[in-house]
Amino acid sequence: MVLLFLSPDDPADAWRAELQARIPDLDVRIWPEVGAPADIDIALVWRPPPGELARYPNLKAILSLAAGIDGLIADPDLPDVPIARMVDPSLTRTMTEYVLVAVLRHHREFDRFERAQRARDWAYAFPPQTADRRVGIMGLGELGSAAARRLVAHGFEVLGWSRSPKALEGVVSYAGHSELHTFLHRTDILVCLLPLTADTIGILDAATFAELPHGACVINVARGQHLVEDDLIRALDSGHLGGATLDVFREEPLPSGSALWAHPKVLVTPHVASYSVPATAADGVAANIRRVLAAEPLLHQVDRARGY
Ligand SMILES: NC(=O)c1ccc[n+]([C@@H]2O[C@H](COP(=O)([O-])OP(=O)(O)OC[C@H]3O[C@@H](n4cnc5c(N)ncnc54)[C@H](OP(=O)(O)O)[C@@H]3O)[C@@H](O)[C@H]2O)c1
């Protein structure tokens, strides 16, 4: 079995070592040193150049190094083989941690105190208790449900919105477009953990912000294309929104001319909300390699028609 590893951002040698520790006879070719394209059985990838995966005539499966596969399926030449997305404890743990930090920062108003400090303003005021702060999570999948559980454990009132209703202890579940309005009305801190699809692109826009209560905060850790950046800036400047934490952007790296960099109510982080480490993520990848060998369905297989 020959695996092509293609990622500009992941540690290729560590991945090879972890995979070969689990499957000793696995031949790992690190792009662009691929040898004969016809040798390649499986591709393990993050952001391959469009058209690249069409070069491998015997490709049997694509394993994504990322949880989101919107970039992959946007490739019009992508081979028609099963795709699995990344699900990994380290990815889930780091995302949960980021969401908790970002929610707490808005909840305890550190963003406001940072601005007050710069103005030498002794801004003495206490925030509400966690039980009186409503955190709404858009997307209750692997990452959203883990974040929701952590926020419930921390005492927040937690709401979730997904395509199908969910039964998560302590989380009020809303589903589908018809319940979005009620979900947004009841959300003080909105966290976006949706996949990027035709249905969710641009969902963080003026109409959505208008449904949130005055002073609400927005955390986007999903994809930059979920957010209409100009709408966010207008909602922040008007005072309707209290603040935003953004990890993902339409254009990455965020251009130096973007108004988001210097906006006093925006925290920018460079797409670092979560990451998987080969030491743990290789378990799931190896399991899927064995499934390809056994001609079994992949774990965490993407539904291309649904887009996630
Ligand atoms: N910033 C980062 O570092 C980073 C890292 C990892 C992932 N991400 C992003 O996080 C996203 C989520 O990852 P995941 O592993 O949690 O995905 P997932 O397990 O596939 O969960 C997706 C969730 O979104 C819901 N959903 C999808 N389309 C919807 C729609 N039209 N309306 C309402 N709900 C909808 C799904 O509803 P159902 O449950 O009803 O199907 C599901 O609950 C990824 O796609 C990626 O873009 C970002």
Side-chain angles (χ1 to χ4, degrees):
M1 183 70 54
V2 182
L3 178 133
L4 163 69
F5 183 91
L6 193 172
S7 168
D9 295 338
D10 290 274
D13 290 333
W15 268 103
R16 173 155 42 202
E18 293 292 346
L19 289 174
Q20 288 178 340
R22 290 159 178 83
I23 306 175
D25 58 353
L26 184 71
D27 180 354
V28 179
R29 311 259 175 99
I30 297 173
W31 191 83
E33 310 293 324
V34 296
D39 292 349
I40 304 298
D41 297 298
I42 300 179
L44 177 60
V45 298
W46 162 239
R47 292 186 170 161
E52 174 62 25
L53 296 178
R55 289 184 52 227
Y56 306 100
N58 296 318
L59 195 66
K60 295 167 189 63
I62 300 169
L63 311 181
S64 170
L65 284 157
I69 48 73
D70 44 284
L72 262 181
I73 61 174
D75 179 352
D77 299 318
L78 196 69
D80 187 16
V81 298
I83 304 172
R85 56 197 205 82
M86 177 58 72
V87 173
D88 163 53
S90 54
L91 187 79
T92 303
R93 190 173 50 251
T94 47
M95 180 58 84
T96 301
E97 192 175 80
Y98 183 104
V99 170
L100 182 63
V101 168
V103 166
L104 284 173
R105 178 173 171 274
H106 289 299
H107 168 64
R108 292 304 305 256
E109 302 179 15
F110 276 26
D111 44 353
R112 188 168 66 80
F113 291 125
E114 284 160 12
R115 292 194 294 276
Q117 179 180 349
R118 284 192 285 276
R120 297 172 183 259
D121 175 13
W122 188 256
Y124 190 81
F126 290 110
Q129 296 285 310
T130 49
D132 299 322
R133 189 80 84 179
R134 302 162 301 179
V135 184
I137 303 184
M138 302 177 103
L140 279 181
E142 286 293 328
L143 302 177
S145 59
R149 278 192 287 270
R150 180 63 62 84
L151 293 164
V152 167
H154 213 83
F156 287 105
E157 184 178 338
V158 181
L159 306 72
W161 181 69
S162 44
R163 277 211 328 179
S164 49
K166 300 282 179 268
L168 277 172
E169 201 178 331
V171 179
V172 184
S173 163
Y174 297 85
H177 194 72
S178 60
E179 294 185 0
L180 179 60
H181 173 82
T182 313
F183 164 81
L184 292 171
H185 268 250
R186 295 179 180 167
T187 289
D188 300 313
I189 300 176
L190 181 69
V191 180
C192 181
L193 266 169
L194 290 166
L196 184 69
T197 67
D199 290 334
T200 65
I201 190 164
I203 195 164
L204 300 177
D205 65 358
T208 291
F209 301 146
E211 303 261 23
L212 293 169
H214 184 83
C217 295
V218 173
I219 298 167
N220 187 20
V221 272
R223 284 290 180 263
Q225 292 87 340
H226 284 124
L227 175 68
V228 180
E229 292 178 358
D230 288 347
D231 287 2
L232 176 75
I233 290 172
R234 267 193 289 277
L236 290 167
D237 289 347
S238 73
H240 178 64
L241 288 184
T245 301
L246 306 177
D247 185 55
V248 286
F249 304 89
R250 279 175 186 261
E251 192 180 340
E252 294 181 4
L254 183 64
S256 59
S258 169
L260 294 170
W261 280 116
H263 198 288
K265 290 182 172 177
V266 176
L267 176 66
V268 168
T269 57
H271 202 146
V272 292
S274 76
Y275 55 95
S276 50
V277 293
T280 58
D283 286 338
V285 171
N288 266 338
I289 294 170
R290 291 192 195 97
R291 281 171 173 256
V292 174
L293 268 169
E296 289 172 1
L298 299 178
L299 300 169
H300 313 298
Q301 188 167 327
V302 169
D303 177 340
R304 282 204 204 195
R306 204 175 58 162
Y308 69 102

